[in-house]
């Protein structure tokens, strides 16, 4: 259910911390990759060794943990979901007020992925106006909440404040990570193809593959079943299926074998390849006055031409302006075209940012500001989600 999804479990100091050991086990059983953070007070209730044995990795216990250079930011970026269970009144209060004086609160502040909070405290603390106000703020911030429940509390009294049961937290996790993708099959192509001249040389282009890989990561986080066909040697989310290729012909072959509901064609595919690649390195002395070229298959056209065609997104990396991209969107017959002017600084090949415009089937244009490629990926998936919904 959670195969390959990365869950950061943050344990804060309450008796209910012992239940988080079982939660960690349930997450691991469901296929998630689990890392654990513990506050100093959490360590008073459960030993780190318990979590280490369950997850296979020692928990992170402080902002200056020796295992990572910057634990809060590295773990914040690593995660697909942050779960704080149990979340004490003190931790909730610090998060609501932006106080980041321990590893857990700093991580929550540093992350951009969904956060699920499972409060646990005594009824009086839960009902205190400070907690009520903090909870309102946390809801406004968009954090997810699960529990608390009514039942026996640590002091022997009975009331609202028990941490949600692990199964209930698991259901909340599945609800968040299941996301809009709901296991829908999405194909993403990425990177520039390399067309061999001989075993050493190739004709290539400047595409780095960063944009396509960012889309793959974002799609996994939204619960899609992702297949990435890429030429780039870049990291990608472990839950994505990756097919590494080099040439346009190989990319075409890989794509032919995939039947997606959504196709995002971010690769820069060579239109031509050397007609007869030499089998051994061409010596300088032989000279080479010209290279005979042959056409490569148009992968996008073959996808758009399928009987049961997927919702298809094309890319137009241009030097010739928006009008050319709009024309291309029409002739290619894509559902959405992503245009970018590769001559613009901070945009296009190799950068971590991109300024793009969307062109839909009606030729309507939406221009976006300069954004991080991951953010561009999110916007593309927003449009895909709206478009797929619109197609019924
Ligand atoms: N594309 C593809 N297969 C090809 C060429 C392009 O799948 N052989 C896809 C790209 O991944 C991109 C879109 O088609 O999503 C547009 O690519 P582009 O190179 O701009 O299109 P071309 O038809 O090659 O246009 P141009 O005349 O500008 O070269």
């Amino acid at each position: 259910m959670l195969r390959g999804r990365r869950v950061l479990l943050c344990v804060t100091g309450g008796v209910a911390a012992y239940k988080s050991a079982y939660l960690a086990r349930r997450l691991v059983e469901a296929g998630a990759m689990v890392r654990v953070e513990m506050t100093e007070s959490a360590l008073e209730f459960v030993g780190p060794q318990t979590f280490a044995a369950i997850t296979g990795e020692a928990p992170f216990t402080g902002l200056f943990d020796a295992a990572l250079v910057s634990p809060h930011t590295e773990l914040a970026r690593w995660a697909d979901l942050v779960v704080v269970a149990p979340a004490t009144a003190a931790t909730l209060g610090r998060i609501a007020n932006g106080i980041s004086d321990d590893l857990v609160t700093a991580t929550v502040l540093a992350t951009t992925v969904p956060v699920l909070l499972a409060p646990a405290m005594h009824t009086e603390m839960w009902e205190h106006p400070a907690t009520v106000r903090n909870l309102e703020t946390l809801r406004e911030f968009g954090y997810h909440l699960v529990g608390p429940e009514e039942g026996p509390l640590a002091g022997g009294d009975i009331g609202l404040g028990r941490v949600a049961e692990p199964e209930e937290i698991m259901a909340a996790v599945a609800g968040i990570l299941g996301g809009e993708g709901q296991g829908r099959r999405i194909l993403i192509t990425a990177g520039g193809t390399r067309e061999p001249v001989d075993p050493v040389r190739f004709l290539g282009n400047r595409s780095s593959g960063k944009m396509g890989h960012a889309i793959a990561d974002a799609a996994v986080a939204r619960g899609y079943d992702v297949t990435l066909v890429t030429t780039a040697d870049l990291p990608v989310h472990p839950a994505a299926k990756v097919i590494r290729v080099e040439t346009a012909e190989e990319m075409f072959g890989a794509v032919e074998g995939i039947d997606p509901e959504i196709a995002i064609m971010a690769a820069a595919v060579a239109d031509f390849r050397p007609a007869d690649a030499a089998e051994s390195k061409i010596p300088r002395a032989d000279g080479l006055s010209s290279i005979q070229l042959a056409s490569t298959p148009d992968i996008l056209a073959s996808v758009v031409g399928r009987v049961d065609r997927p919702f298809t997104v094309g890319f137009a990396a241009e030097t010739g302006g928006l009008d050319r991209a709009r024309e291309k969107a029409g002739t290619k017959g894509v559902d959405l075209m992503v245009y970018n002017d590769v001559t613009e600084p901070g945009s296009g090949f190799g950068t971590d940012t991109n300024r793009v415009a969307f062109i839909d089937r009606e030729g309507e244009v939406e221009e976006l500001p300069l954004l991080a490629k991951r953010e561009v990926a999110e916007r593309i998936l927003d449009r895909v989600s709206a478009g797929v919904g619109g197609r019924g």
Side-chain angles (χ1 to χ4, degrees), residues 272-352:
F272 304 100
R273 62 176 174 81
D276 297 298
E279 277 176 21
S280 51
K281 189 183 171 196
I282 303 166
R284 178 190 178 88
D286 284 9
L288 188 66
S289 57
S290 64
I291 298 175
Q292 196 71 36
L293 296 175
S295 294
T296 56
D298 188 334
I299 305 168
L300 180 68
S302 84
V303 168
V304 169
R306 291 183 187 181
V307 179
D308 195 10
R309 62 169 275 186
F311 183 94
T312 309
V313 181
F315 275 67
E318 298 287 342
T319 56
L322 194 57
D323 286 344
R324 166 114 178 81
R326 197 191 271 140
E327 192 186 308
K328 196 179 276 188
T331 52
K332 297 263 177 197
V334 291
D335 297 290
L336 185 72
M337 186 61 102
V338 183
Y339 157 77
N340 72 316
D341 180 346
V342 289
T343 62
E344 203 179 311
S347 207
F349 302 130
T351 60
D352 290 320

Side-chain angles (χ1 to χ4, degrees), residues 33 51 64 67 100 118 122 147 152 157 175 194 199 201 211 221 309 327 360-361 368 380-381 386:
M33 297 165 67
F51 288 101
F64 304 101
S100 50
H122 278 92
D157 44 343
R194 292 175 164 197
R201 306 172 180 101
M211 190 64 245
R309 62 169 275 186
E327 192 186 308
D360 67 13
R361 285 187 81 88
L368 269 53
I380 292 170
L381 292 174

Side-chain angles (χ1 to χ4, degrees), residues 16-165:
Y18 78 91
K19 286 193 184 174
S20 294
Y22 183 64
L23 175 62
R25 154 131 353 264
R26 291 288 296 112
L27 289 164
V28 169
E29 281 168 1
M33 297 165 67
V34 182
R35 283 176 145 184
V36 177
E37 286 186 6
M38 298 179 77
T39 60
E40 260 176 51
S41 334
L43 290 167
E44 300 287 333
F45 291 95
V46 210
Q49 207 50 43
T50 305
F51 288 101
I54 292 168
T55 65
E57 189 178 8
F60 299 87
T61 53
L63 276 167
F64 304 101
D65 197 297
L68 297 174
V69 177
S70 171
H72 65 299
T73 53
E74 288 178 49
L75 293 166
R77 285 191 204 120
W78 172 84
D80 294 325
L81 172 68
V82 176
V83 180
V84 187
T88 59
T91 296
L92 294 175
R94 289 209 293 279
I95 298 171
N97 291 285
I99 300 166
S100 50
D101 56 354
D102 65 15
L103 179 58
V104 169
T105 49
T107 304
V108 171
L109 226 66
T111 198
T112 56
V113 302
V115 175
L116 174 64
L117 305 168
M121 64 198 77
H122 278 92
T123 311
E124 294 81 355
M125 295 170 81
W126 177 248
E127 288 173 352
H128 191 284
T131 310
V132 171
R133 195 178 57 196
N134 288 335
L135 258 297
E136 261 169 41
T137 307
L138 293 166
R139 281 197 194 92
E140 269 170 37
F141 288 166
Y143 293 135
H144 302 266
L145 283 153
V146 55
E149 293 173 357
E150 200 154 328
L153 300 169
D157 44 343
I158 293 178
L160 195 63
R162 265 169 76 93
V163 75
E165 289 302 320

